[in-house]
Amino acid sequence: MDNDRREIELEQDKNEILDLYKGKKPKALIQKLSSMNAADVAEILDELKVTDATVIFRLLPKDKAVDVFTYFDSEQQQDIIATSTDADVEYILKEIFFDDKIDMLEEMPANIVDRILEKSTPSERKLINQFLNYPEDSAGSIMTIEYCSVKKTLTVKEAMARLKKVGLQRETIYTIYVVDDNRKLEGIVSLRELVMADDDKVIADIMNTDVVYVNVYEDQEIVAGVIQKYDFVAVPVVDNEERMVGIITVDDVIDIIEQEATEDFQKMAALSPSEDEYLDTPPITLAKHRIAWLLFLMVSATLTGSILQRFEDYIAAIPSLLIFIPMLMDTGGNAGSQSATLVIRGLAVGEIEPKDALKVLWKEFQVSIMVGVVLAIVNYGRIKLLHPNQDPKIAITVSISVMFTVMLAKLVGGLLPIGAKKIKLDPAIMASPLITTIVDATSLIVYFAVAKMMLGI
Amino acid sequence: MDNDRREIELEQDKNEILDLYKGKKPKALIQKLSSMNAADVAEILDELKVTDATVIFRLLPKDKAVDVFTYFDSEQQQDIIATSTDADVEYILKEIFFDDKIDMLEEMPANIVDRILEKSTPSERKLINQFLNYPEDSAGSIMTIEYCSVKKTLTVKEAMARLKKVGLQRETIYTIYVVDDNRKLEGIVSLRELVMADDDKVIADIMNTDVVYVNVYEDQEIVAGVIQKYDFVAVPVVDNEERMVGIITVDDVIDIIEQEATEDFQKMAALSPSEDEYLDTPPITLAKHRIAWLLFLMVSATLTGSILQRFEDYIAAIPSLLIFIPMLMDTGGNAGSQSATLVIRGLAVGEIEPKDALKVLWKEFQVSIMVGVVLAIVNYGRIKLLHPNQDPKIAITVSISVMFTVMLAKLVGGLLPIGAKKIKLDPAIMASPLITTIVDATSLIVYFAVAKMMLGI
């Protein structure tokens, strides 16, 4: 309900901006834009035509322009940089936070990166190049260098004075890092503790020395886990010599968590993972992300086909066996992907660990018996109802097959992701589609084996 | 790599704690526990036997105990409360933040809730009851009342003095809320701005009046979206009269985002969504969450069976048509769930909106042609290779069917979730399993229609 309120307000703002723009009232337009939140301005500009958006962006007061710029996606940022004067580019680069700059550069084509590096000071250029060399998705590639550090010999009052001087250029001042002369991390103080403490206390006496930190080469998923576990606003990043090199803040972690979940969704649906927004991705790229797994799964379904071929005589002998095959395969696939999804997600959020394999096995075994029996009974009733003239032995055959298929599917679905994790493969890759292929094959083997016993084919 | 480091350290801490505990060295044990992070202590206690954990918990200094308590899951919290004296319960309740208390009460059985309410003051009891009455997953149910508010007439110095006095009892002091005498929200000031500002400035002059807030009845997913969009540390919550009633902090939002993603994973795998941890959930509950959808999908697969039955004569006439059915159904299902997953996730993170339906349709149409053609060609080659004696017309029949099935599956997969969203249903429910059933049926109809034309059955 309130979301609608915000959307309506944003729509009104957009119309007002367009009216002022078309009515050529730059002064009123600038006033309107200045009063708005930068994230909202960016959202509205994103919905306008590129030419209009570029002109309006140019009207923004410089500080606001920088803020709005950081909320743009990389395509818009490129449009702006491509049409800006060197002085403007220089200004934007000087003002945006370092981690935003790195994010931006990672997405830009080479000619724009060159143009940006040209505008940077040699020392910053060196730093940027170093950042761009950290492995993708490592702590180093997402950290920022704009943190506040103090020496432990300062008093609270001196530390506060320092904050006042440098605070504006820092991404966060809510955690202050205590480092020695070699930049080794000795402790942390939160701004809250600083505000609460008496002016003449010494930092060494109020700092927290049990510091949780991450290494610069650690994966962003682990960083996210740390911030989440300890409810941090930011976590310090150290290099292999344990010298402090940067921090990662909680707002980046939110994006990481969402992005990692998106990747898992994609992998579990047999897609090659991609960070691009769906609507911005050209069809040929979307097709490329989809085709590899579809081909692999199509070819591996050959197995299922050849099993079916091996039992062609059974179907020729009792044709009504045929009509239950899709139901059996689908039920097995669904039962398996239920278990797989729970285990994959449990592994992703840290609720399940590889050492829990036996617990999972035992749990899935119990669940699969309950679910299998219920499905078998309902299935028997369904066949009796819909096919009253059917040989009851066929109904029993199908029901027993349903039960065993569900059991097998759940055990495979539960264990495959854990097995993958154990041998350092990605559990999400082992999900639904691959399990479907395996379960399809086994369900047919079970079905015809039961049929052979029950119907004496 | 560094994650292992932390795990190894935690394992060492655990062994040290157990040694001190079994060696009956309470003093050293207390010292060890005091030096550790509360989240780590909670994690270690969670791995010990309940009796040991309870004794060790009791040894903790009171403040630490409260911190550790908030990191426990609700089962552990119940164990502690059930075995604690009234004085201890009272102390814990007094010290933990209000939103943690509400979270805790929401999970507790009635007799423990009663015991806790008994220990609260009448005014707090009233407040708790009011909180427990907010709809589940609404902003009201997750907010905290421990925020810092000031009047706009204060100077910066006066405001800082006030923070110093009340800050310890507040969940965050990094955003300060400016309210009038009727608790109407007039503006916000960040602690950073306060620290940066001159002592004698007046709050009214430095406060930000373009405040983004949420209504107390709004869904937590919308709250998470707001914090994420604006990179906030906290967002204010107002009632229907726009009076300020609480705040929601970014660390709660992380949990919400993870929880919402988990729910979508579950729905897309045909599970009834649940917030319980897998390993803590009894098999009977797990079975209940799985059986409804499995039953529904099993019964709806009857449709596929009856289509197969209608075309039994076709298979009798050309038995080799049979062996390609599983491949066709699986490929259709996979192709459809790829599109569905991208669209469902896009809707969830706000990249796609219902009004984009035509764009999605056009994109999926283009992608499906590319993917369909490639799969059809590879499939033709595969059949030629594996079944060289097969009538080439059958290979052509199967390949054309693959192409049309992929196209249909992608269009259905792309549009069904958007349609669901349009009529206010949950897009995730429309995902893979349901689409599989629809695609199974259509792929068979396509297959036999093509076979009829090509093979003149």
Side-chain angles (χ1 to χ4, degrees):
Chain A
M1 127 196 92
D2 236 28
N3 201 32
D4 292 345
R5 164 178 67 74
R6 260 188 302 279
E7 270 169 31
I8 291 165
E9 281 179 9
L10 215 57
E11 197 61 31
Q12 287 169 346
D13 285 338
K14 181 178 156 187
N15 292 334
E16 196 180 331
I17 287 170
L18 270 180
D19 285 348
L20 292 171
Y21 171 67
K22 287 180 184 151
K24 308 221 184 291
K25 292 177 185 145
K27 218 172 138 187
L29 180 54
I30 291 170
Q31 203 164 25
K32 173 71 194 166
L33 291 168
S34 306
S35 76
M36 288 175 60
N37 185 299
D40 290 330
V41 175
E43 190 171 331
I44 288 174
L45 292 187
D46 186 33
E47 290 173 10
L48 300 183
K49 271 182 290 176
V50 177
T51 46
D52 294 345
T54 316
V55 176
I56 295 176
F57 178 79
R58 246 158 251 295
L59 289 175
L60 287 168
K62 282 203 163 180
D63 287 351
K64 194 76 163 199
V66 172
D67 274 359
V68 171
F69 186 81
T70 60
Y71 283 107
F72 280 156
D73 61 27
S74 88
E75 222 169 304
Q76 275 176 295
Q77 291 181 335
Q78 285 176 39
D79 288 340
I80 295 294
I81 291 197
T83 57
S84 289
T85 65
D86 280 4
D88 284 346
V89 173
E90 216 162 325
Y91 186 81
I92 290 176
L93 288 177
K94 214 178 97 230
E95 292 298 320
I96 65 175
F97 284 124
F98 194 78
D99 61 336
D100 288 329
K101 200 182 296 183
I102 297 297
D103 285 353
M104 186 182 97
L105 288 174
E106 275 168 347
E107 300 292 327
M108 298 266 159
N111 58 331
I112 296 203
V113 172
D114 284 348
R115 185 165 173 211
I116 289 170
L117 285 179
E118 220 170 79
K119 300 275 150 256
S120 310
T121 63
S123 69
E124 204 185 35
R125 202 150 45 212
K126 197 178 142 204
L127 209 53
I128 290 175
N129 276 319
Q130 186 189 333
F131 262 71
L132 291 177
N133 284 328
Y134 284 121
E136 207 191 324
D137 295 344
S138 69
S141 73
I142 52 169
M143 71 184 182
T144 178
I145 50 171
E146 273 117 356
Y147 58 90
C148 281
S149 63
V150 295
K151 295 271 175 298
K152 66 178 170 187
T153 49
L154 293 190
T155 63
V156 167
K157 196 174 176 182
E158 288 165 339
M160 287 295 276
R162 186 175 146 75
L163 283 192
K164 225 165 182 142
K165 221 174 72 189
V166 302
L168 261 190
Q169 284 91 50
R170 303 298 184 244
E171 176 142 353
T172 182
I173 61 164
Y174 297 143
T175 311
I176 296 116
Y177 301 89
V178 187
V179 295
D180 69 9
D181 290 335
N182 298 316
R183 290 212 333 270
K184 268 202 89 151
L185 187 59
E186 297 185 302
I188 56 169
V189 186
S190 70
L191 180 57
R192 179 201 291 239
E193 285 160 334
L194 217 53
V195 167
M196 297 295 147
D198 292 332
D199 277 356
D200 49 359
K201 277 238 174 172
V202 177
I203 296 294
D205 293 337
I206 62 168
M207 74 181 184
N208 203 323
T209 53
D210 182 33
V211 185
V212 178
Y213 56 86
V214 296
N215 181 283
V216 74
Y217 288 107
E218 264 177 303
D219 191 83
Q220 59 174 12
E221 217 170 335
I222 289 173
V223 177
V226 168
I227 289 206
Q228 205 176 354
K229 174 176 168 188
Y230 297 101
D231 288 341
F232 284 156
V233 178
V235 68
V237 183
V238 302
D239 64 13
N240 287 334
E241 280 77 45
E242 304 221 331
R243 283 177 311 218
M244 174 135 188
V245 288
I247 59 168
I248 295 168
T249 51
V250 64
D251 52 309
D252 296 321
V253 164
I254 291 185
D255 299 338
I256 294 167
I257 289 176
E258 202 163 86
Q259 182 192 323
E260 298 285 345
T262 299
E263 263 181 35
D264 278 356
F265 274 111
Q266 292 172 340
K267 287 180 205 149
M268 289 168 74
L271 290 154
S272 312
S274 149
E275 289 178 23
D276 303 331
E277 287 199 16
Y278 174 85
L279 290 176
D280 294 340
T281 314
I284 180 83
T285 314
L286 285 175
K288 274 189 206 152
H289 291 154
R290 298 182 189 187
I291 215 151
W293 271 103
L294 282 185
L295 278 176
F296 174 79
L297 292 168
M298 182 179 84
V299 172
S300 62
T302 307
L303 176 70
T304 325
S306 64
I307 292 172
L308 212 48
Q309 195 171 22
R310 239 182 69 201
F311 292 105
E312 247 172 352
D313 300 346
Y314 286 52
I315 295 170
I318 306 170
S320 49
L321 281 181
L322 176 66
I323 57 174
F324 300 107
I325 289 178
M327 180 279 293
L328 203 60
M329 278 170 39
D330 280 355
T331 303
N334 290 331
S337 77
Q338 284 183 333
S339 307
T341 299
L342 284 180
V343 172
I344 290 168
R345 187 66 185 154
L347 287 167
V349 301
E351 282 172 17
I352 299 176
E353 288 176 49
K355 65 170 191 233
D356 298 322
L358 276 180
K359 283 190 214 162
V360 171
L361 188 68
W362 174 229
K363 211 168 265 262
E364 286 304 314
F365 179 71
Q366 296 173 77
V367 174
S368 70
I369 288 182
M370 297 185 216
V371 172
V373 167
V374 172
L375 286 185
I377 293 170
V378 172
N379 184 61
Y380 185 82
R382 178 183 73 101
I383 297 178
K384 277 272 148 216
L385 202 74
L386 293 178
H387 313 270
N389 306 322
Q390 195 77 267
D391 180 355
K393 274 189 187 162
I394 290 184
I396 294 174
T397 300
V398 176
S399 289
I400 294 179
S401 303
V402 165
M403 197 183 83
F404 281 117
T405 299
V406 166
M407 288 183 64
L408 275 170
K410 289 216 164 290
L411 295 180
V412 170
L415 285 186
L416 216 53
I418 295 192
K421 177 103 181 181
K422 268 206 170 133
I423 56 170
K424 311 256 173 206
L425 285 178
D426 190 328
I429 297 279
M430 295 293 129
S432 327
L434 200 54
I435 287 174
T436 302
T437 306
I438 296 175
V439 168
D440 278 358
T442 40
S443 65
L444 285 181
I445 294 174
V446 167
Y447 186 38
F448 290 114
V450 175
K452 187 175 180 182
M453 280 198 304
M454 289 295 302
L455 307 169
I457 304 172
Chain B
M1 123 198 96
D2 236 28
N3 200 31
D4 291 344
R5 163 178 68 74
R6 260 188 303 279
E7 269 170 32
I8 291 165
E9 281 179 9
L10 214 59
E11 197 61 34
Q12 286 169 348
D13 284 339
K14 181 178 156 189
N15 291 334
E16 194 180 332
I17 288 171
L18 270 180
D19 285 348
L20 292 170
Y21 171 66
K22 285 181 184 149
K24 305 219 185 294
K25 294 178 183 143
K27 218 171 138 190
L29 179 54
I30 291 170
Q31 203 164 25
K32 172 72 194 164
L33 291 168
S34 305
S35 75
M36 288 175 60
N37 185 299
D40 291 329
V41 176
E43 191 172 328
I44 288 174
L45 291 186
D46 185 32
E47 291 173 9
L48 301 182
K49 270 182 291 178
V50 177
T51 45
D52 294 346
T54 316
V55 175
I56 295 176
F57 178 79
R58 247 159 251 293
L59 288 175
L60 287 168
K62 282 204 164 178
D63 287 350
K64 194 78 166 197
V66 172
D67 273 358
V68 171
F69 186 81
T70 60
Y71 283 107
F72 280 156
D73 62 26
S74 90
E75 221 169 304
Q76 275 176 295
Q77 290 183 336
Q78 284 177 40
D79 287 341
I80 296 294
I81 291 196
T83 57
S84 289
T85 65
D86 280 3
D88 285 345
V89 172
E90 216 163 325
Y91 185 81
I92 290 176
L93 288 177
K94 216 178 95 230
E95 293 297 320
I96 65 175
F97 284 123
F98 193 79
D99 61 336
D100 288 329
K101 200 182 295 184
I102 297 297
D103 284 353
M104 183 181 99
L105 288 173
E106 275 168 348
E107 301 291 327
M108 299 266 159
N111 58 332
I112 296 204
V113 172
D114 284 348
R115 186 164 171 211
I116 289 170
L117 285 178
E118 221 170 81
K119 300 276 149 255
S120 311
T121 63
S123 69
E124 203 184 36
R125 201 150 47 212
K126 199 178 141 203
L127 209 53
I128 290 176
N129 276 317
Q130 186 189 332
F131 262 71
L132 291 176
N133 284 328
Y134 283 120
E136 206 192 337
D137 295 343
S138 68
S141 73
I142 53 169
M143 71 184 180
T144 179
I145 50 170
E146 273 118 355
Y147 57 91
C148 280
S149 63
V150 295
K151 295 273 177 291
K152 66 177 169 187
T153 50
L154 292 191
T155 64
V156 168
K157 196 174 177 179
E158 287 165 340
M160 286 295 277
R162 186 176 146 73
L163 283 192
K164 226 166 181 141
K165 222 174 75 191
V166 302
L168 262 189
Q169 284 91 50
R170 303 299 183 244
E171 175 142 355
T172 182
I173 62 164
Y174 297 143
T175 311
I176 297 114
Y177 301 89
V178 186
V179 295
D180 70 8
D181 290 336
N182 298 316
R183 290 213 331 272
K184 266 201 92 151
L185 187 59
E186 297 184 304
I188 57 168
V189 186
S190 70
L191 181 56
R192 179 202 290 240
E193 286 160 332
L194 217 53
V195 168
M196 297 294 147
D198 292 332
D199 277 356
D200 48 359
K201 278 238 173 174
V202 178
I203 295 293
D205 294 337
I206 61 167
M207 73 181 184
N208 203 323
T209 54
D210 182 33
V211 185
V212 179
Y213 55 85
V214 296
N215 182 283
V216 75
Y217 288 107
E218 264 178 303
D219 191 83
Q220 59 175 11
E221 217 170 335
I222 288 173
V223 177
V226 168
I227 289 206
Q228 205 177 354
K229 173 176 169 189
Y230 298 100
D231 288 342
F232 284 156
V233 177
V235 67
V237 183
V238 302
D239 65 13
N240 288 334
E241 280 78 45
E242 305 223 329
R243 282 176 314 215
M244 175 136 187
V245 289
I247 59 168
I248 295 168
T249 51
V250 63
D251 52 309
D252 295 321
V253 165
I254 291 185
D255 298 338
I256 294 168
I257 289 177
E258 201 163 86
Q259 182 191 323
E260 298 284 344
T262 299
E263 263 181 36
D264 278 355
F265 274 111
Q266 292 172 340
K267 287 180 205 150
M268 289 168 75
L271 290 153
S272 313
S274 149
E275 289 176 23
D276 303 332
E277 287 199 16
Y278 174 84
L279 290 176
D280 294 340
T281 314
I284 180 82
T285 314
L286 285 174
K288 273 188 207 152
H289 291 154
R290 299 182 188 187
I291 215 150
W293 271 104
L294 282 185
L295 278 176
F296 174 78
L297 293 168
M298 182 179 83
V299 172
S300 61
T302 307
L303 177 68
T304 325
S306 64
I307 292 172
L308 212 47
Q309 195 170 22
R310 240 182 68 203
F311 292 105
E312 246 170 355
D313 300 345
Y314 287 51
I315 294 170
I318 307 171
S320 49
L321 281 181
L322 176 66
I323 57 173
F324 302 107
I325 290 178
M327 181 278 294
L328 204 61
M329 279 170 40
D330 281 355
T331 304
N334 290 331
S337 77
Q338 283 183 333
S339 307
T341 300
L342 283 180
V343 172
I344 291 167
R345 187 65 185 156
L347 287 166
V349 301
E351 282 173 15
I352 300 176
E353 289 175 49
K355 65 169 191 235
D356 298 321
L358 276 180
K359 283 190 214 164
V360 171
L361 188 66
W362 173 230
K363 213 170 264 263
E364 286 304 314
F365 179 71
Q366 297 173 75
V367 174
S368 70
I369 288 182
M370 298 184 216
V371 173
V373 167
V374 173
L375 286 185
I377 292 171
V378 173
N379 184 61
Y380 185 82
R382 180 184 71 100
I383 297 178
K384 277 274 149 212
L385 202 74
L386 293 177
H387 312 271
N389 306 321
Q390 196 76 266
D391 180 354
K393 274 188 187 164
I394 291 184
I396 293 173
T397 300
V398 176
S399 289
I400 293 177
S401 303
V402 164
M403 198 183 82
F404 281 117
T405 299
V406 167
M407 288 182 66
L408 275 171
K410 291 218 164 284
L411 295 180
V412 170
L415 285 185
L416 216 55
I418 295 191
K421 178 100 182 186
K422 268 207 170 131
I423 55 171
K424 310 255 173 208
L425 284 178
D426 190 329
I429 298 278
M430 295 293 130
S432 327
L434 201 54
I435 287 174
T436 302
T437 306
I438 296 175
V439 168
D440 278 357
T442 40
S443 64
L444 285 181
I445 293 173
V446 168
Y447 186 37
F448 290 115
V450 174
K452 190 175 177 182
M453 281 198 305
M454 288 296 301
L455 307 170
I457 304 172

